[in-house]
Amino acid sequence: MTIEEFRSETRAWLEQNCPAGMRTPMPDEERVWGGKAPVFKHPESKVWMERMVERGWTAPTWPREFGGGGLSHEQASVLTGEMRRLHCRPPLFSFGLGMLGPLLLDIGTQEQKQRYLPPIARGEIWWCQGYSEPGAGSDLANLQTRAEDQGDHYLVNGQKVWTSYAHQADWIFCLVRTDTTVKHAGISFLLFDMHSPGVEVRPIKLISGASAFCETFFDNVKVPKTQLIGEVNGGWAIAKQLLGHERAMISQLGARGAGRLPPLEDLARKFAGDENGRITDPVLRDSLARHLMNDRAFEQTSKRAMRGGDAGSGVASMLKYYGTEQNKRKLELLMKLAGSSGLGWSGEEFDDDELALCRYWLRSKGNSIEGGTSEVQLNVIAKRVLGLPD
Ligand SMILES: Cc1cc2nc3c(=O)[nH]c(=O)nc-3n(C[C@H](O)[C@H](O)[C@H](O)COP(=O)(O)OP(=O)(O)OC[C@H]3O[C@@H](n4cnc5c(N)ncnc54)[C@H](O)[C@@H]3O)c2cc1C
């Protein structure tokens, strides 16, 4: 099938199968995260997810045997473009799809791929990420959570922090220390059930009003050795590989038409347009045009970088740095366009867009921290891309 045939077939399928309610901007609370007890807040989100799962399009480029769609990167990019054109909501959000799954495809054993990938593609397990600790953020290799070898299993003890959605997750991919005498070479990568005895989760309230973060405590949690990924003490290279996938994923947060707020142009017209939708203030018009041009350039750069599935750490850091800073700039620009209407937190005098804008503006501040801060990305680019000394 040629790419143009694929495009028209995809377009027709989406037009027929994406329910009307799934072609509207999506409030955060209507996101579908799947899991063992999935919540579908919008009446049409279940059928939309099921249709996409059946086609393998929750994980378009994964092989069909693992629940994916078997698409090439070019076809997947066409699918993304067609979904944006129709304003289709992503059917499923998942750290399994964006982080763990791509990692297992790269380095998992056949048995691990068969065990973990199809439930991720079907949205049956909600995964969370246990990397950061109170003394291990940017200096991640300083992590102290220990996994002691007990023969056929490990006993895990310690604390993680900023574990997004730990209070709702079914399983965790977790960095643990299996050797205390060395730093980077003493880390391993474990998967385990968040409902295991000894796991305790305490949510942390955020400035945006949401509470997606948690402190996560492990007290003698028993983890079978079969749930170790890669070699014992070989977890640092795996951790970095997963970070590459995470950073590439986060870089696309602000992508045009990502489906949260209406597109920037529409909001600009609404907040600062005259009766014909023209932005009369020349400074705002100039800022908007510049932003949209940079967005377009970033979109093309991302596509080019991803075409070969390239999430190498230098490239992922460049995309993560620019994409998240650009998203923060977008929210700042929207706040300027909205004026005082952007500052509403509650009350009938503010409409849904305005209330959402204020929350997204606050939430965007975390974009350049999560998945590694902007400063850390600049360090990686300096060392690995530009070859500058430490
Ligand atoms: C929204 C959000 C979601 C998150 N979700 C998760 C999650 O699910 N799981 C998880 O494990 N973690 C998660 N995190 C944690 C995140 O990975 C860490 O916050 C991040 O790595 C920074 O670590 P830190 O907060 O300890 O800051 P620190 O490492 O203490 O950094 C503090 C400041 O110092 C700067 N700094 C530190 N070292 C250097 C250096 N060498 N050079 C230059 N500047 C430096 C940093 O850039 C930063 O500005 C999340 C964070 C956010 C904001």
Side-chain angles (χ1 to χ4, degrees):
M1 189 191 305
T2 67
I3 199 72
E4 283 316 312
E5 284 165 350
F6 176 78
R7 187 187 304 281
S8 50
E9 193 177 274
T10 301
R11 185 172 292 182
W13 188 87
L14 288 172
E15 274 167 0
Q16 222 175 356
N17 287 281
C18 182
M22 293 292 100
R23 302 185 197 186
T24 53
M26 177 174 49
D28 271 0
E29 61 277 11
E30 289 184 9
R31 284 186 189 188
V32 174
W33 286 88
K36 288 186 178 165
V39 178
F40 298 99
K41 287 241 164 96
H42 189 289
E44 288 172 315
S45 58
K46 184 166 187 282
V47 70
W48 174 225
M49 187 189 92
E50 286 169 352
R51 286 177 186 166
M52 289 292 272
V53 163
E54 201 184 322
R55 224 171 154 81
W57 282 3
T58 49
T61 57
W62 294 9
R64 285 184 183 280
E65 62 171 316
F66 302 130
L71 301 187
S72 65
H73 284 281
E74 196 181 9
Q75 288 172 324
S77 161
V78 167
L79 172 61
T80 309
E82 290 303 315
M83 286 179 69
R84 278 192 195 154
R85 203 182 61 83
L86 282 180
H87 305 294
C88 305
R89 296 181 178 191
L92 177 64
F93 286 80
S94 152
F95 295 166
L97 287 174
M99 296 193 238
L100 181 63
L103 177 87
L104 291 177
L105 278 171
D106 287 345
I107 61 151
T109 61
Q110 188 63 11
E111 201 186 334
Q112 286 165 341
K113 288 180 195 175
Q114 266 155 359
R115 177 173 177 191
Y116 298 112
L117 292 176
I120 292 176
R122 292 193 298 263
E124 291 169 355
I125 302 284
W126 188 331
W127 286 90
C128 66
Q129 177 186 29
Y131 272 36
S132 309
E133 296 184 5
S138 301
D139 185 11
L140 182 60
N142 193 40
L143 62 97
Q144 302 299 324
T145 294
R146 292 210 39 201
E148 281 175 78
D149 190 333
Q150 301 286 317
D152 65 340
H153 67 273
Y154 293 104
L155 265 193
V156 178
N157 281 286
Q159 183 197 342
K160 298 287 169 181
V161 72
W162 317 127
T163 329
S164 300
Y165 305 108
H167 57 315
Q168 285 155 304
D170 302 304
W171 276 63
I172 186 166
F173 45 94
C174 192
L175 294 179
V176 292
R177 180 155 296 290
T178 34
D179 186 337
T180 53
T181 61
V182 276
K183 193 173 176 181
H184 298 80
I187 293 170
S188 299
F189 191 100
L190 284 183
L191 309 180
F192 56 92
D193 192 330
M194 288 291 281
H195 306 293
S196 310
V199 177
E200 192 196 335
V201 173
R202 296 185 201 152
I204 302 169
K205 195 107 179 155
L206 298 187
I207 191 174
S208 63
S211 186
F213 268 160
C214 300
E215 291 178 292
T216 309
F217 299 88
F218 307 122
D219 180 14
N220 283 326
V221 180
K222 202 170 156 183
V223 180
K225 277 193 173 167
T226 49
Q227 290 166 205
L228 172 80
I229 302 296
E231 298 291 319
V232 66
N233 293 327
W236 183 242
I238 299 175
K240 284 195 296 182
Q241 208 167 335
L242 182 133
L243 278 175
H245 295 299
E246 178 178 13
R247 287 169 181 166
M249 179 184 80
I250 294 175
S251 74
Q252 301 304 308
L253 279 177
R256 286 160 58 82
R260 299 161 183 194
L261 284 168
L264 175 58
E265 306 86 301
D266 295 355
L267 282 175
R269 276 188 211 104
K270 171 177 167 173
F271 290 136
D274 64 13
E275 63 279 8
N276 301 314
R278 188 166 180 275
I279 317 287
T280 45
D281 182 314
V283 176
L284 285 178
R285 202 170 58 232
D286 181 62
S287 305
L288 180 65
R290 273 172 201 279
H291 189 91
L292 291 173
M293 282 192 290
N294 286 336
D295 258 5
R296 186 57 61 88
F298 179 61
E299 189 185 327
Q300 296 304 324
T301 304
S302 301
K303 268 194 196 161
R304 204 171 49 244
M306 306 283 187
R307 199 167 291 146
D310 188 355
S313 66
V315 174
S317 288
M318 290 196 290
L319 296 178
K320 204 265 172 185
Y321 173 72
Y322 193 86
T324 54
E325 294 295 339
Q326 178 73 347
N327 195 42
K328 288 199 314 187
R329 283 190 289 269
K330 173 165 109 181
L331 271 302
E332 287 294 341
L333 176 57
L334 276 168
M335 288 301 271
K336 270 193 205 149
L337 288 159
S340 56
S341 333
L343 293 172
W345 190 252
S346 61
E348 282 171 8
E349 60 275 32
F350 300 104
D351 69 20
D352 287 349
D353 287 345
E354 290 160 354
L355 294 176
L357 172 57
C358 187
R359 285 165 173 77
Y360 283 127
W361 173 62
L362 290 171
R363 175 61 183 82
S364 71
K365 303 297 173 196
N367 296 160
S368 51
I369 302 174
E370 58 201 306
T373 65
S374 278
E375 291 78 12
V376 166
Q377 306 319 305
L378 291 175
N379 284 345
V380 173
I381 295 164
K383 279 193 255 179
R384 305 224 181 100
V385 181
L386 301 175
L388 298 175
D390 268 333

